[in-house]
Structure formats: structure tokens, C-alpha cells
Amino acid sequence: MLIPLGLGVKVPKFPFITIYLVILNVFFFLQQEPLDFKAIEQMVSKKQTSSLISYYKSKDLLNKENISVSSLFKAQFSHGSWAHLIGNMLALIGFGLYAETKLGALGYLFVYFLGGSLGLGLSAHFFLRPDSILMGASANIFSMMGAFFVIFFRHYMKFLLFYIFIWKKILVPVRFSFPFFFILVEVTNQFLGEGNVAHDAHLIGIGIGVFCGFIFILGAPIKWPFIYAIEREKFDELAGKTNFGEIV
């Protein structure tokens, strides 16, 4: 597993939107009505699909037969467990605080909710089984990560890599880490059907984020190696005040 530790640079302003989204996700998780898994398992085992769909609709859960504005919004702030929530929030903080300061509050929220809504909605419509539901902010976060990938393509990202007894900090180029650790793994798992995870929603989300990231850098490009506009401004200011003399 990889936990993002950041780009190693200080963000120029406090990431209010990212922190607010984390608080909202935790709040809605604590308020989340528990599902009757025993009843759900019985309906699934007895193939009572119509009863199961009615149950999901009564709870306004995102299902192939219940795709609406309210169910999509609820799904984006619902999680199956503490592990599900914590994993998503670590990714949101690790990537989101940088994406927010580049995209701005409105642009960041646009990418976050567009990727989440389309990712979950299209996944539910085209890929989800009638007896299943979708929940979680993963599609939102993958959308934001897609924008991050494009914007910070030439930079390096710190990760905490851990697997069983292996704990190690690694520094990898964004341009290599994202295609391998996130896109390739998601595509592979989608074809293998590994786990109870909507990998298709993740891929849709990251695709939307990549598209939005390209639109952003076309409108607000900052030349390498700078990350933020304030860095370039400070550099230009120092360069203008410094007399390097003549090179003989």
C-alpha cells in the first residue's frame, strides 16, 4: 500500500476546502444509517432482486435502478467501514492540498464532484450488478488525483510504502508513479474483477481529472521547475535585485 506524503514543498495557503471535505466525510460517516447486512444476504441468496432493489430505494442507496441526484450525493459521502474512510481521506489530504492550491476553490470542487458524480453514476449504470450498491469518495479522489497527475507531471512525490513488514519512504516521479501504481493497477483489477471495489468508477474519475488538468494548465501554465505562481514571482524579484556582474 502507498500513502502519499507530499511533494516536499510548503503549500502557499491553507487548504480549507480539502480539510472541509475531510470533515464532511467523517461527519456523514458517523451519521450513516447502518445497513441490515443479514437481510441483504438473505435476499441475495434467495435471488429476491426486486425486494433488494426496493430496500435500496427505501434507503436512497446508489444502485443500478436508483440513480438520482440525492443517491449520487449520498454515495459520495458514505463509506463501508472505517478502513474505507481512512484510506480515502489519506489520499484526499496527500494529493488534495496541492491540487486545491493550484486549481483554486471553485475549480477544485468542480473536479472533485464532477469526477465523483460521473464516476459513480456511469459505473452504476453500465457495470454494477442489480443486487449491489456503490458508496465512497474514491471516484471523487481519483478525479482530483487525475488533475494532480497532469499539473505536477514533472515533479516528484514522496510515498510511504508498506507491505506486511516492509515500511519505507520512497521518492518517485509523478509521471511514472501514477501510470503504474494507479492507472495500470486499476485497469488490471477491473479486468480481473478483484475484490468488491468499483475500479471502473476509479478509472472514469481519473479520466475526468486528467481532462480537467489539461484544461487548467492550458489556461494557467507555470514553467518548470516552479510549482506555484508565488515561487516564480519571488524568483523574478530576487533575479531583478541581484547584480551577477560580468562574466569574463
Side-chain angles (χ1 to χ4, degrees):
M1 182 176 180
L2 291 173
I3 296 178
L5 299 178
L7 294 169
V9 297
K10 185 179 180 180
V11 293
K13 58 183 179 180
F14 188 79
F16 286 102
I17 302 300
T18 299
I19 301 304
Y20 183 60
L21 286 172
V22 171
I23 293 172
L24 278 180
N25 274 280
V26 174
F27 173 78
F28 280 110
F29 178 75
L30 294 175
Q31 301 297 317
Q32 193 172 304
E33 183 181 355
L35 298 177
D36 189 347
F37 288 106
K38 185 176 181 180
I40 292 174
E41 289 175 2
Q42 289 179 349
M43 285 185 279
V44 171
S45 63
K46 295 179 181 179
K47 297 183 179 180
Q48 297 175 337
T49 306
S50 58
S51 299
L52 193 57
I53 292 173
S54 298
Y55 174 78
Y56 290 151
K57 285 186 176 181
S58 69
K59 303 293 183 181
D60 199 23
L61 300 173
L62 182 60
N63 173 265
K64 195 177 187 71
E65 304 298 328
N66 186 41
I67 302 175
S68 64
V69 173
S70 60
S71 65
L72 279 170
F73 181 82
K74 184 177 181 178
Q76 292 173 61
F77 287 100
S78 301
H79 290 83
S81 64
W82 275 107
H84 186 199
L85 174 68
I86 292 171
N88 277 344
M89 295 306 101
L90 286 174
L92 177 56
I93 294 171
F95 297 107
L97 60 90
Y98 295 101
E100 178 185 342
T101 51
K102 290 287 284 186
L103 294 169
L106 292 179
Y108 181 67
L109 288 172
F110 177 79
V111 173
Y112 183 88
F113 284 109
L114 179 67
S117 299
L118 290 180
L120 290 176
L122 293 174
S123 175
H125 181 75
F126 291 106
F127 303 103
L128 192 64
R129 300 194 313 270
D131 60 355
S132 300
I133 58 173
L134 279 180
M135 63 170 58
S138 298
N140 305 71
I141 295 167
F142 268 86
S143 179
M144 175 269 300
M145 287 166 58
F148 176 96
F149 168 62
V150 174
I151 296 170
F152 298 103
F153 182 79
R154 299 182 65 179
H155 295 274
Y156 285 75
M157 186 76 175
K158 290 181 180 180
F159 292 94
L160 175 62
L161 172 66
F162 71 92
Y163 181 73
I164 307 177
F165 299 111
I166 300 175
W167 293 75
K168 186 177 182 180
K169 289 183 180 179
I170 60 174
L171 181 67
V172 292
V174 171
R175 62 182 179 272
F176 296 141
S177 61
F178 267 72
F180 178 77
F181 290 119
F182 299 105
I183 299 176
L184 179 61
V185 171
E186 290 297 324
V187 170
T188 302
N189 288 332
Q190 173 67 15
F191 281 107
L192 293 177
E194 290 291 328
N196 190 26
V197 179
H199 298 288
D200 40 76
H202 298 173
L203 290 169
I204 294 169
I206 204 168
I208 292 169
V210 167
F211 176 79
C212 292
F214 275 115
I215 298 299
F216 172 80
I217 61 174
L218 288 175
I222 297 178
K223 292 184 179 180
W224 168 266
F226 303 103
I227 296 179
Y228 302 107
I230 190 171
E231 293 177 313
R232 181 58 189 265
E233 292 168 5
K234 290 293 184 181
F235 177 83
D236 290 341
E237 181 182 345
L238 290 172
K241 291 180 179 180
T242 304
N243 183 10
F244 294 100
E246 296 182 359
I247 300 176
V248 178

